[in-house]
Amino acid sequence: MSGSDINYDEAMVRWEPDSRGRLEQAALALFGELGFEETTVAAIAQRAGVTERTFFRHFADKREVLFGGGTALQDAIVGGVREASPDLPPLAAVAEGFAAAAELLQGRRQFALARSEIIAANPGLQERELIKLASIAAAVGETLRARGVDEPDASLAAQLGVAAFHSAFGQWVATADAPALSELISEAFGRVAALTS
């Protein structure tokens, strides 16, 4: 257990196991009930049974509840592209990267569903989501260039990969009985390949 999971409440010390998970769940519930803008950090902390100080140990602000995993997602994608066989063409290497991301996201489907609904209801959050996707595309393009892919092919493959992922992710969160995200990503990349052949 880390020090961030301990709440010092005046003279009383008590453990708060999985305070980050409880904060995520409380925030998602309140965003759904009250709306993102109307939900305060104080309300999230109270619902989770922790202090505001504990909230700020885990998240810089309430937006980070929704976007805090972006770095891990980008790292998984970039790592998958970097580790793809050197013989693969650029788009196939990008597909490997997004397949790695599917593994990371599959176990967090309920969080992804709630997150998507909250983002869809808030234009400011939609803008932040587009910025996140642009950042992923830039990182993937950079990784492809490091693999020896010239421009504009590196940037085009990265952008097509993000578009395929975005399409697959949208299907995954829109349907209750959707196939595994990895399957949808594979299908989306197959459609991109067919369209560009």
Side-chain angles (χ1 to χ4, degrees), residues 6 33 46 154:
I6 300 172
E33 293 166 18
Q46 182 178 17

Side-chain angles (χ1 to χ4, degrees), residues 56-73:
F56 288 115
R57 284 189 193 121
H58 294 285
F59 304 104
D61 58 38
K62 65 183 181 178
R63 288 174 303 173
E64 287 305 303
V65 175
L66 302 172
F67 293 98
T71 301
L73 178 67

Side-chain angles (χ1 to χ4, degrees), residues 34-103:
L34 307 175
F36 178 80
E37 295 296 336
E38 291 74 20
T39 300
T40 64
V41 167
I44 295 168
Q46 182 178 17
R47 173 77 62 98
V50 300
T51 64
E52 286 183 62
R53 185 174 177 180
T54 299
F55 177 94
F56 288 115
R57 284 189 193 121
H58 294 285
F59 304 104
D61 58 38
K62 65 183 181 178
R63 288 174 303 173
E64 287 305 303
V65 175
L66 302 172
F67 293 98
T71 301
L73 178 67
Q74 182 171 306
D75 289 348
I77 295 165
V78 166
V81 174
R82 187 182 306 116
E83 294 168 14
S85 170
D87 300 334
L88 287 178
L91 194 57
V94 172
E96 293 284 319
F98 283 100
E103 293 176 24

Side-chain angles (χ1 to χ4, degrees), residues 126-177:
Q126 291 169 27
E127 181 179 354
R128 175 83 180 260
E129 181 78 344
L130 292 174
I131 291 168
K132 181 190 82 172
L133 292 173
S135 175
I136 289 171
V140 169
E142 183 179 328
T143 305
L144 288 172
R145 287 187 290 278
R147 287 172 57 95
V149 179
D150 293 329
E151 282 297 336
D153 292 354
S155 292
L156 285 170
Q159 291 289 344
L160 286 170
V162 167
F165 171 74
H166 193 249
S167 173
F169 187 84
Q171 288 180 282
W172 186 57
V173 297
T175 310
D177 58 348

